[in-house]
Every structure is written in C-alpha cells, then in structure tokens.
Amino acid sequence: SPLWEELSSAIADLPCMSIAALNGTLAGGAMGMALACDMRIAVASAKFFYPVMKLGYLPQPSDPMRMRALIGPARAKMILLGGQKIFADEALSFGLIDRIVDPADLLDHAHSLMTDSAAANPEHCAAIKGMIEATMIVTIAARVGTIMIMMVLAVVSTTKLAMPLTTGLDSIIQGTPTRGLLRPSSILDR
C-alpha cells in the first residue's frame, strides 16, 4: 500500500530524532517503520524478518534501500530474498539494531537516548540530522558514481573508444574535465 511508504517517509523525514523500541517480533511493514527511524533498540528476545519472498509481495520501495544502507547488500538479500529470520544478537552484529536492552528498561533507555535532543532547540536538532543525512547521500552518490564509471569502462574497454573515454572520465573525477573529449561527435569521428 502506498500509505505504508508515505508513513515510513514521514518518519524518516522527521526533523527530530526517532527511535524504535522493539520488544517482540518485527516483520514486514513494521520492519519498514523501524528502518525509517534514526535508531532501533530491542530486547534480547526480539526477532526480525521480512517475509516478502514467501508471501509473493514486493517490499515497500524504500525498505530495501534503507535496509541495505544499514546492513549491506548481502545481509539485506539474506533477509529479503532468503527469507531468513534473525535474532537480536545477530541484528546487533549486522547493524540492524543499535543496542540490546533489558525488557524492563526498554522505554527508559529510549527516553534517555532522546534526552539531549528533546531538550535542544528544534532547529539545531534538525540541522544536525540534516548534516548526517547529507553526508550519507554524498557517500552513496560517490559509490554509485564509481560503479557507473566502472560499468562504462567495462563496456568500452574492448573498443578503440577506451583510451579517450577513460582519459575523459579520469579528468572529470580529478575535477579538470577535458573539453570535447566525451562529446558524442568527437567519439563518433574516430
């Protein structure tokens, strides 16, 4: 449902810190809500799974991206494609949750994590959260850019276009683009 995606996006876009305090099983759409939070804490008996393969559904569009950002592509595939259930200790080692706490202290611990943010000027909190999010976007963009360059190089590596194209890409990466080197007309004229 688009409503789940809208709700998880609203949680992710909150200008303040958000914490999911998890005291049981986290599955499916609820996993998406927790992934949208800034932090996730859980009790030791918590279980995590996302049964989209078994049920034949696609996850909400942002869930695989958020999960991948937290735990990496292989572990995200293990949960989403492999249908694996994991427990709190493994979720902590993956980076899916940030802390394991005693059940009696779960909400108190969440409140203690929020103390400084709740007492701060809301604009200050939003600015710091924005800086962290911007850093993540730049890092992801840099990784995607590198992958795209590698793909382009792989496609043209066996052609006579490889030398001018790689030289042009290197100059762009170094911040000194060579004019005309990557124009289609200059490549097609060779």
Side-chain angles (χ1 to χ4, degrees):
S1 163
L3 186 58
W4 282 98
E5 185 67 19
E6 190 176 326
L7 180 56
S8 70
S9 293
I11 292 169
D13 293 340
L14 286 171
C16 59
M17 188 162 78
S18 58
I19 299 175
L22 310 166
N23 68 351
T25 299
L26 187 67
M31 172 83 81
M33 298 306 119
L35 290 170
C37 290
D38 298 314
M39 295 182 69
R40 286 147 300 282
I41 60 174
V43 299
S45 61
K47 295 178 219 154
F48 306 84
F49 66 101
Y50 207 133
V52 289
M53 290 304 291
K54 185 181 230 177
L55 299 175
Y57 296 117
L58 289 174
Q60 292 302 319
S62 61
D63 291 357
M65 293 181 291
R66 289 183 181 132
M67 186 180 291
R68 183 183 193 277
L70 288 171
I71 65 175
R75 290 173 174 162
K77 289 173 186 173
M78 183 177 78
I79 294 170
L80 293 170
L81 294 173
Q84 296 299 295
K85 291 181 185 178
I86 62 172
F87 293 90
D89 57 342
E90 193 170 22
L92 180 64
S93 72
F94 283 9
L96 187 61
I97 61 174
D98 302 294
R99 287 193 177 153
I100 296 174
V101 298
D102 187 80
D105 299 330
L106 184 64
L107 292 180
D108 287 339
H109 193 75
H111 285 208
S112 73
L113 290 170
M114 287 279 225
T115 301
D116 286 352
S117 289
N121 176 315
E123 290 80 17
H124 183 70
C125 186
I128 291 174
K129 185 171 177 177
M131 291 169 76
I132 294 167
E133 297 297 324
T135 302
M136 289 171 33
I137 291 168
V138 168
T139 301
I140 291 167
R143 288 181 183 160
V144 169
T146 300
I147 291 166
M148 289 172 52
I149 290 169
M150 289 168 39
M151 288 173 23
V152 168
L153 293 178
V155 168
V156 298
S157 66
T158 58
T159 71
K160 66 181 184 177
L161 300 176
M163 180 58 184
L165 189 55
T166 56
T167 303
L169 290 172
D170 287 343
S171 69
I172 290 169
I173 292 167
Q174 295 166 4
T176 56
T178 307
R179 293 187 185 275
L181 192 54
L182 293 176
R183 281 196 337 239
S185 61
S186 66
I187 292 173
L188 295 175
D189 290 342
R190 298 186 192 283

Coordinates of all heavy atoms in Angstrom, one line a residue, residues 38-108:
D38 N 15.7 6.7 13.2 CA 17.1 7.0 13.3 C 17.9 6.0 14.1 O 19.0 5.7 13.8 CB 17.3 8.4 14.0 CG 16.7 9.5 13.2 OD1 16.9 9.5 11.9 OD2 16.0 10.4 13.7
M39 N 17.2 5.4 15.1 CA 17.8 4.3 15.9 C 16.8 3.3 16.2 O 15.6 3.5 16.2 CB 18.3 4.9 17.2 CG 19.4 5.9 17.1 SD 19.9 6.5 18.7 CE 20.7 5.1 19.4
R40 N 17.3 2.1 16.4 CA 16.5 0.9 16.8 C 17.1 0.3 18.0 O 18.3 -0.1 17.9 CB 16.4 -0.1 15.6 CG 15.5 0.4 14.5 CD 15.9 -0.1 13.1 NE 17.3 0.4 12.8 CZ 17.6 1.7 12.4 NH1 16.6 2.6 12.3 NH2 18.8 2.0 12.2
I41 N 16.4 0.1 19.1 CA 16.9 -0.6 20.2 C 15.9 -1.8 20.4 O 14.7 -1.7 20.1 CB 17.0 0.2 21.5 CG1 15.7 0.9 21.9 CG2 18.1 1.3 21.3 CD1 15.7 1.6 23.2
A42 N 16.4 -2.9 21.0 CA 15.5 -4.1 21.1 C 15.9 -4.9 22.3 O 17.0 -4.8 22.9 CB 15.6 -4.9 19.9
V43 N 14.9 -5.7 22.7 CA 15.2 -6.7 23.8 C 15.9 -7.9 23.2 O 15.8 -8.1 22.0 CB 13.8 -7.1 24.5 CG1 13.2 -5.9 25.1 CG2 12.9 -7.8 23.6
A44 N 16.5 -8.7 24.0 CA 17.3 -9.8 23.6 C 16.5 -10.9 22.9 O 17.0 -11.6 22.0 CB 18.1 -10.4 24.7
S45 N 15.2 -11.0 23.2 CA 14.3 -12.0 22.6 C 13.7 -11.5 21.3 O 12.9 -12.3 20.6 CB 13.2 -12.4 23.6 OG 12.4 -11.3 23.9
A46 N 14.0 -10.3 20.8 CA 13.4 -9.8 19.6 C 13.8 -10.6 18.4 O 14.9 -11.1 18.3 CB 13.7 -8.4 19.4
K47 N 12.9 -10.8 17.4 CA 13.1 -11.5 16.1 C 12.8 -10.5 15.0 O 11.9 -9.7 15.1 CB 12.3 -12.7 16.0 CG 12.5 -13.8 17.0 CD 11.5 -14.9 16.8 CE 11.1 -15.4 18.2 NZ 9.8 -16.0 18.2
F48 N 13.6 -10.7 13.9 CA 13.4 -9.8 12.7 C 13.3 -10.7 11.5 O 14.2 -11.5 11.2 CB 14.6 -8.9 12.7 CG 14.9 -8.2 13.9 CD1 15.6 -8.7 15.0 CD2 14.4 -6.9 14.1 CE1 15.9 -8.1 16.1 CE2 14.7 -6.2 15.3 CZ 15.4 -6.8 16.3
F49 N 12.3 -10.4 10.7 CA 12.2 -11.0 9.3 C 11.3 -10.2 8.5 O 10.5 -9.3 8.9 CB 11.8 -12.5 9.4 CG 10.4 -12.7 9.9 CD1 9.4 -13.0 9.0 CD2 10.1 -12.7 11.3 CE1 8.1 -13.3 9.5 CE2 8.8 -13.0 11.7 CZ 7.8 -13.2 10.8
Y50 N 11.4 -10.4 7.2 CA 10.6 -9.7 6.2 C 10.1 -10.7 5.1 O 10.9 -11.0 4.2 CB 11.5 -8.6 5.5 CG 10.7 -7.4 5.0 CD1 11.2 -6.1 5.3 CD2 9.6 -7.5 4.2 CE1 10.5 -5.0 4.9 CE2 8.9 -6.4 3.7 CZ 9.4 -5.2 4.0 OH 8.7 -4.1 3.6
P51 N 9.0 -11.3 5.3 CA 8.6 -12.5 4.5 C 8.0 -12.2 3.1 O 7.1 -12.9 2.6 CB 7.5 -13.1 5.4 CG 6.8 -11.9 6.0 CD 8.0 -11.0 6.3
V52 N 8.6 -11.3 2.4 CA 8.1 -11.0 1.1 C 8.3 -12.1 0.0 O 7.4 -12.2 -0.9 CB 8.7 -9.6 0.5 CG1 8.2 -8.4 1.3 CG2 10.3 -9.7 0.5
M53 N 9.3 -12.9 0.1 CA 9.5 -14.0 -0.8 C 8.5 -15.0 -0.6 O 7.9 -15.5 -1.5 CB 10.9 -14.6 -0.7 CG 12.0 -13.7 -1.2 SD 11.8 -13.1 -2.9 CE 12.1 -14.6 -3.8
K54 N 8.3 -15.4 0.6 CA 7.3 -16.4 1.0 C 5.9 -16.0 0.6 O 5.1 -16.8 0.1 CB 7.4 -16.7 2.5 CG 6.5 -17.9 2.9 CD 6.7 -18.0 4.4 CE 7.0 -19.5 4.7 NZ 7.2 -19.8 6.1
L55 N 5.5 -14.7 0.8 CA 4.2 -14.3 0.6 C 4.0 -13.8 -0.9 O 2.8 -13.5 -1.3 CB 3.8 -13.1 1.5 CG 3.9 -13.5 3.0 CD1 3.6 -12.3 3.9 CD2 2.8 -14.6 3.3
G56 N 5.0 -13.6 -1.6 CA 4.9 -13.2 -3.0 C 4.6 -11.7 -3.2 O 4.1 -11.3 -4.2
Y57 N 5.0 -10.9 -2.2 CA 4.8 -9.4 -2.3 C 6.1 -8.7 -2.5 O 7.2 -9.3 -2.1 CB 4.2 -8.9 -1.0 CG 2.8 -9.4 -0.7 CD1 2.5 -10.1 0.4 CD2 1.7 -9.1 -1.5 CE1 1.3 -10.6 0.7 CE2 0.4 -9.5 -1.3 CZ 0.2 -10.3 -0.1 OH -1.0 -10.7 0.1
L58 N 6.1 -7.5 -3.0 CA 7.2 -6.7 -3.1 C 7.3 -5.9 -1.8 O 6.2 -5.5 -1.3 CB 7.2 -5.7 -4.3 CG 7.4 -6.4 -5.6 CD1 7.2 -5.3 -6.7 CD2 8.8 -7.0 -5.7
P59 N 8.5 -5.6 -1.3 CA 8.6 -4.7 -0.1 C 8.2 -3.3 -0.5 O 8.2 -3.0 -1.7 CB 10.0 -4.9 0.4 CG 10.8 -5.3 -0.8 CD 9.8 -6.1 -1.7
Q60 N 8.0 -2.5 0.5 CA 7.8 -1.0 0.2 C 9.1 -0.5 -0.5 O 10.2 -1.0 -0.1 CB 7.5 -0.2 1.4 CG 6.2 -0.6 2.1 CD 5.0 -0.3 1.1 OE1 5.0 0.7 0.4 NE2 4.1 -1.2 1.1
P61 N 9.0 0.3 -1.5 CA 10.2 0.7 -2.2 C 11.4 1.2 -1.4 O 12.5 0.9 -1.8 CB 9.7 1.9 -3.1 CG 8.2 1.6 -3.3 CD 7.8 1.0 -2.0
S62 N 11.2 1.9 -0.3 CA 12.3 2.5 0.4 C 12.9 1.5 1.4 O 14.0 1.6 1.8 CB 11.8 3.7 1.2 OG 10.8 3.4 2.1
D63 N 12.2 0.4 1.7 CA 12.7 -0.6 2.7 C 14.0 -1.3 2.3 O 14.9 -1.3 3.1 CB 11.6 -1.6 3.0 CG 10.5 -1.0 3.8 OD1 10.5 0.2 4.1 OD2 9.5 -1.7 4.1
P64 N 14.1 -1.8 1.0 CA 15.4 -2.4 0.7 C 16.6 -1.4 0.7 O 17.7 -1.8 1.1 CB 15.1 -2.9 -0.7 CG 13.7 -3.1 -0.8 CD 13.1 -2.0 0.0
M65 N 16.3 -0.2 0.3 CA 17.4 0.8 0.3 C 17.8 1.1 1.7 O 19.0 1.2 2.0 CB 16.9 2.1 -0.4 CG 16.7 1.9 -1.9 SD 16.2 3.4 -2.7 CE 14.5 3.6 -2.1
R66 N 16.8 1.3 2.6 CA 17.2 1.6 4.0 C 17.9 0.4 4.7 O 18.9 0.6 5.4 CB 15.9 2.0 4.8 CG 15.4 3.4 4.4 CD 14.2 3.7 5.2 NE 13.7 5.0 4.8 CZ 12.4 5.3 4.5 NH1 11.5 4.4 4.7 NH2 12.0 6.5 4.1
M67 N 17.4 -0.8 4.4 CA 18.0 -2.0 5.0 C 19.4 -2.1 4.4 O 20.4 -2.4 5.2 CB 17.2 -3.2 4.6 CG 17.7 -4.4 5.4 SD 16.7 -5.9 5.0 CE 15.2 -5.6 5.8
R68 N 19.6 -1.9 3.2 CA 21.0 -2.1 2.6 C 21.9 -1.0 3.2 O 23.1 -1.3 3.4 CB 20.9 -1.9 1.1 CG 22.2 -2.0 0.4 CD 22.0 -1.8 -1.1 NE 23.2 -2.2 -1.9 CZ 24.3 -1.5 -2.0 NH1 24.4 -0.3 -1.5 NH2 25.3 -2.0 -2.8
A69 N 21.4 0.2 3.4 CA 22.3 1.2 4.0 C 22.7 0.9 5.4 O 23.8 1.2 5.8 CB 21.5 2.6 4.0
L70 N 21.9 0.2 6.1 CA 22.2 -0.2 7.5 C 23.1 -1.5 7.6 O 24.0 -1.5 8.3 CB 20.9 -0.5 8.3 CG 20.1 0.7 8.7 CD1 18.7 0.2 9.3 CD2 20.8 1.6 9.6
I71 N 22.8 -2.5 6.8 CA 23.4 -3.8 7.0 C 24.2 -4.3 5.7 O 24.8 -5.4 5.8 CB 22.4 -4.9 7.4 CG1 21.4 -5.2 6.4 CG2 21.8 -4.4 8.7 CD1 20.4 -6.3 6.7
G72 N 24.2 -3.6 4.6 CA 24.9 -4.0 3.4 C 24.0 -4.9 2.5 O 23.0 -5.4 3.0
P73 N 24.5 -5.0 1.3 CA 23.7 -5.7 0.3 C 23.5 -7.2 0.6 O 22.4 -7.8 0.4 CB 24.4 -5.5 -1.0 CG 25.8 -5.1 -0.7 CD 25.7 -4.4 0.7
A74 N 24.5 -7.9 1.0 CA 24.4 -9.4 1.2 C 23.5 -9.7 2.3 O 22.6 -10.6 2.2 CB 25.8 -10.0 1.4
R75 N 23.6 -9.0 3.4 CA 22.7 -9.3 4.5 C 21.3 -8.8 4.2 O 20.3 -9.5 4.7 CB 23.2 -8.6 5.8 CG 24.5 -9.2 6.2 CD 25.1 -8.5 7.4 NE 26.3 -9.3 7.9 CZ 27.2 -8.8 8.6 NH1 27.2 -7.5 9.0 NH2 28.2 -9.5 9.0
A76 N 21.1 -7.8 3.5 CA 19.7 -7.4 3.1 C 19.1 -8.4 2.2 O 17.9 -8.8 2.3 CB 19.8 -6.0 2.3
K77 N 19.9 -9.0 1.3 CA 19.4 -10.1 0.4 C 19.1 -11.3 1.2 O 18.1 -12.0 0.9 CB 20.5 -10.4 -0.6 CG 20.6 -9.3 -1.7 CD 21.7 -9.6 -2.7 CE 21.9 -8.4 -3.6 NZ 23.1 -8.6 -4.4
M78 N 19.9 -11.6 2.3 CA 19.7 -12.8 3.1 C 18.3 -12.7 3.8 O 17.5 -13.6 3.8 CB 20.7 -12.9 4.2 CG 20.6 -14.1 5.1 SD 21.9 -14.3 6.3 CE 21.4 -13.1 7.5
I79 N 17.9 -11.4 4.2 CA 16.6 -11.2 4.9 C 15.5 -11.2 3.9 O 14.5 -11.8 4.0 CB 16.7 -10.0 5.8 CG1 17.6 -10.2 6.9 CG2 15.3 -9.6 6.3 CD1 17.9 -9.0 7.8
L80 N 15.7 -10.4 2.8 CA 14.6 -10.1 1.8 C 14.4 -11.3 0.8 O 13.3 -11.7 0.6 CB 14.8 -8.8 1.1 CG 14.7 -7.6 1.9 CD1 15.2 -6.4 1.2 CD2 13.3 -7.4 2.4
L81 N 15.5 -11.7 0.2 CA 15.4 -12.8 -0.8 C 15.5 -14.2 -0.1 O 14.8 -15.1 -0.6 CB 16.6 -12.7 -1.8 CG 16.5 -11.4 -2.7 CD1 17.8 -11.4 -3.5 CD2 15.3 -11.5 -3.6
G82 N 16.3 -14.3 0.9 CA 16.4 -15.6 1.6 C 15.4 -15.9 2.6 O 15.2 -17.0 3.1
G83 N 14.6 -14.9 3.0 CA 13.5 -15.1 4.0 C 14.0 -15.4 5.4 O 13.3 -16.0 6.1
Q84 N 15.3 -15.1 5.7 CA 15.8 -15.6 7.0 C 15.3 -14.7 8.1 O 15.2 -13.5 8.0 CB 17.4 -15.4 6.9 CG 18.0 -16.4 5.9 CD 17.7 -17.8 6.2 OE1 18.2 -18.3 7.2 NE2 17.0 -18.5 5.3
K85 N 15.1 -15.4 9.2 CA 14.7 -14.8 10.5 C 16.0 -14.6 11.3 O 16.8 -15.5 11.3 CB 13.8 -15.6 11.3 CG 12.4 -15.7 10.7 CD 11.5 -16.5 11.6 CE 10.1 -16.7 10.9 NZ 9.2 -17.6 11.7
I86 N 16.2 -13.4 11.8 CA 17.4 -13.3 12.7 C 16.9 -12.8 14.1 O 15.9 -12.2 14.2 CB 18.4 -12.3 12.1 CG1 17.8 -10.9 11.9 CG2 18.9 -12.8 10.7 CD1 18.9 -9.9 11.5
F87 N 17.8 -13.0 15.0 CA 17.5 -12.7 16.4 C 18.3 -11.4 16.8 O 19.2 -11.0 16.0 CB 17.8 -13.8 17.4 CG 16.9 -15.0 17.2 CD1 17.2 -16.0 16.2 CD2 15.7 -15.1 17.8 CE1 16.3 -17.1 16.0 CE2 14.8 -16.1 17.6 CZ 15.1 -17.1 16.7
A88 N 18.0 -10.9 17.9 CA 18.6 -9.6 18.3 C 20.1 -9.5 18.3 O 20.7 -8.6 17.8 CB 18.0 -9.2 19.7
D89 N 20.7 -10.6 18.8 CA 22.2 -10.6 18.8 C 22.8 -10.5 17.4 O 23.8 -9.7 17.2 CB 22.8 -11.8 19.6 CG 22.3 -13.1 19.0 OD1 21.3 -13.2 18.3 OD2 23.0 -14.1 19.4
E90 N 22.2 -11.2 16.5 CA 22.7 -11.1 15.1 C 22.3 -9.8 14.5 O 23.1 -9.2 13.7 CB 22.1 -12.3 14.3 CG 22.8 -12.5 12.9 CD 22.3 -13.8 12.2 OE1 21.2 -14.3 12.5 OE2 23.1 -14.2 11.4
A91 N 21.1 -9.3 14.8 CA 20.7 -8.0 14.3 C 21.6 -6.9 14.7 O 22.0 -6.0 14.0 CB 19.3 -7.7 14.7
L92 N 22.1 -7.0 16.0 CA 23.1 -6.0 16.5 C 24.4 -6.1 15.8 O 25.0 -5.1 15.4 CB 23.3 -6.3 18.0 CG 24.2 -5.3 18.7 CD1 23.7 -3.9 18.7 CD2 24.4 -5.8 20.2
S93 N 24.9 -7.3 15.6 CA 26.2 -7.5 14.9 C 26.1 -7.0 13.4 O 27.0 -6.5 12.9 CB 26.6 -9.0 14.9 OG 25.9 -9.8 14.1
F94 N 24.9 -7.1 12.8 CA 24.7 -6.7 11.4 C 24.6 -5.1 11.4 O 24.9 -4.6 10.3 CB 23.4 -7.2 10.9 CG 23.4 -8.6 10.4 CD1 24.4 -9.5 10.7 CD2 22.3 -9.1 9.8 CE1 24.4 -10.8 10.3 CE2 22.2 -10.4 9.3 CZ 23.3 -11.3 9.6
G95 N 24.1 -4.5 12.4 CA 23.9 -3.1 12.4 C 22.4 -2.7 12.2 O 22.0 -1.6 12.0
L96 N 21.5 -3.8 12.2 CA 20.1 -3.5 12.0 C 19.5 -2.9 13.2 O 18.6 -2.1 13.1 CB 19.4 -4.9 11.7 CG 17.9 -4.8 11.3 CD1 17.7 -4.0 10.1 CD2 17.4 -6.2 11.2
I97 N 20.0 -3.2 14.4 CA 19.6 -2.5 15.7 C 20.9 -1.9 16.3 O 22.0 -2.3 15.9 CB 18.9 -3.4 16.7 CG1 19.8 -4.6 17.1 CG2 17.6 -3.9 16.1 CD1 19.1 -5.4 18.2
D98 N 20.7 -1.0 17.1 CA 21.8 -0.2 17.7 C 22.2 -0.7 19.1 O 23.4 -0.6 19.5 CB 21.5 1.3 17.7 CG 21.3 1.7 16.3 OD1 22.2 1.7 15.5 OD2 20.1 2.1 16.0
R99 N 21.3 -1.3 19.8 CA 21.5 -1.7 21.2 C 20.5 -2.8 21.6 O 19.4 -2.8 21.1 CB 21.4 -0.6 22.2 CG 22.6 0.3 22.2 CD 22.6 1.2 23.4 NE 23.8 2.1 23.3 CZ 23.9 3.3 23.8 NH1 22.9 3.8 24.6 NH2 25.0 4.0 23.7
I100 N 21.0 -3.7 22.5 CA 20.1 -4.7 23.1 C 19.9 -4.2 24.6 O 21.0 -4.0 25.2 CB 20.6 -6.1 23.0 CG1 20.7 -6.5 21.5 CG2 19.7 -7.1 23.8 CD1 21.3 -7.9 21.3
V101 N 18.7 -4.1 25.0 CA 18.5 -3.7 26.4 C 17.5 -4.6 27.1 O 16.8 -5.4 26.5 CB 17.9 -2.2 26.5 CG1 18.9 -1.3 25.9 CG2 16.6 -2.1 25.8
D102 N 17.6 -4.6 28.4 CA 16.7 -5.4 29.3 C 15.2 -5.0 29.0 O 15.0 -3.8 28.9 CB 17.1 -5.2 30.7 CG 16.3 -6.1 31.6 OD1 16.7 -7.3 31.7 OD2 15.3 -5.7 32.2
P103 N 14.3 -5.9 28.9 CA 12.9 -5.5 28.7 C 12.3 -4.5 29.7 O 11.6 -3.6 29.3 CB 12.2 -6.9 28.8 CG 13.2 -7.9 28.5 CD 14.5 -7.4 29.0
A104 N 12.7 -4.6 30.9 CA 12.2 -3.7 31.9 C 12.7 -2.3 31.7 O 12.1 -1.3 32.2 CB 12.6 -4.2 33.3
D105 N 13.8 -2.1 31.0 CA 14.5 -0.8 30.8 C 14.3 -0.3 29.4 O 14.8 0.8 29.1 CB 16.0 -0.9 31.1 CG 16.3 -1.3 32.5 OD1 15.5 -1.0 33.4 OD2 17.3 -2.0 32.7
L106 N 13.5 -1.0 28.5 CA 13.4 -0.6 27.1 C 13.0 0.9 26.9 O 13.7 1.7 26.3 CB 12.5 -1.5 26.4 CG 12.4 -1.3 24.9 CD1 13.7 -1.6 24.2 CD2 11.3 -2.3 24.3
L107 N 11.8 1.2 27.5 CA 11.3 2.6 27.3 C 12.2 3.6 28.0 O 12.4 4.7 27.4 CB 9.9 2.7 27.7 CG 8.9 1.9 26.8 CD1 7.5 2.1 27.2 CD2 9.0 2.3 25.3
D108 N 12.6 3.3 29.2 CA 13.5 4.3 29.9 C 14.8 4.5 29.1 O 15.3 5.6 29.0 CB 13.9 3.7 31.3 CG 12.7 3.8 32.2 OD1 11.8 4.6 32.0 OD2 12.7 3.1 33.2

